[in-house]
Amino acid sequence: MGVDLPPYAIDRSHRIRRMNPPPEGAAQKPRPIIVKFTSYKYRQLLFSNKRKLKEARGQNKGISLHEDFTDARRALLWEAFQHMKTPNSKIQHAWTMNGRVYVVLNSADGHSTKKVIHSRRDLDMF
């Protein structure tokens, strides 16, 4: 990613447990790693450069960076992605930042608007 973090930027890190065994015949993926940073500044430095992982996807072989969400927040983001795929959906893009779920909405006049989504009810309005 080209980010130079000092060794003291990470307070703790560890792998999380496996949720389900892989289907029979499927290769086991490595367990995700969760990291606690010593300051918000270092976390933001890493997250602001996470797009570089997509640009170098061939070199990183499936490495990705995600926020650690509650099940409810994760489900809300998933719903936003599913809603985005429906015909005539106003949602153009969905992402997360600092624990919030954001969407970009297309309007009839061609402008786009960024909104924070708090619940499933907010998604139903689009």
Side-chain angles (χ1 to χ4, degrees):
M1 289 176 58
V3 176
D4 190 25
L5 287 177
Y8 56 83
I10 296 176
D11 183 29
R12 304 177 87 184
S13 66
H14 58 88
R15 290 196 180 269
I16 61 174
R17 67 179 177 91
R18 291 195 196 284
M19 296 305 286
N20 297 317
E24 191 163 325
Q28 260 191 349
K29 294 180 182 178
R31 295 178 303 164
I33 297 172
I34 193 163
V35 177
K36 179 183 176 192
F37 293 95
T38 56
S39 88
Y40 181 77
K41 176 178 82 171
Y42 296 126
R43 177 194 181 279
Q44 281 308 103
L45 180 63
L46 205 62
F47 272 92
S48 65
N49 286 287
K50 84 178 204 175
R51 183 167 293 201
K52 292 178 184 177
L53 285 174
K54 288 182 182 179
E55 294 168 0
R57 185 66 79 189
Q59 301 165 0
N60 292 318
K61 303 205 186 312
I63 296 173
S64 58
L65 184 64
H66 305 278
E67 292 183 80
D68 187 33
F69 282 130
T70 62
D71 290 340
R73 268 304 165 206
R74 192 176 302 112
L76 185 59
L77 178 62
W78 179 256
E79 289 287 332
F81 285 140
Q82 295 307 311
H83 198 280
M84 201 167 61
K85 295 176 184 177
T86 61
N88 302 323
S89 173
K90 292 182 182 179
I91 298 176
Q92 178 183 355
H93 187 63
W95 75 97
T96 64
M97 186 170 56
N98 298 325
R100 293 187 174 145
V101 178
Y102 291 87
V103 295
V104 171
L105 303 171
N106 287 330
S107 62
D109 61 359
H111 290 85
S112 57
T113 308
K114 181 170 81 170
K115 297 277 186 184
V116 178
I117 302 299
H118 300 284
S119 68
R120 175 81 169 107
R121 190 174 9 189
D122 292 343
L123 280 175
D124 291 337
M125 294 182 348
F126 312 121

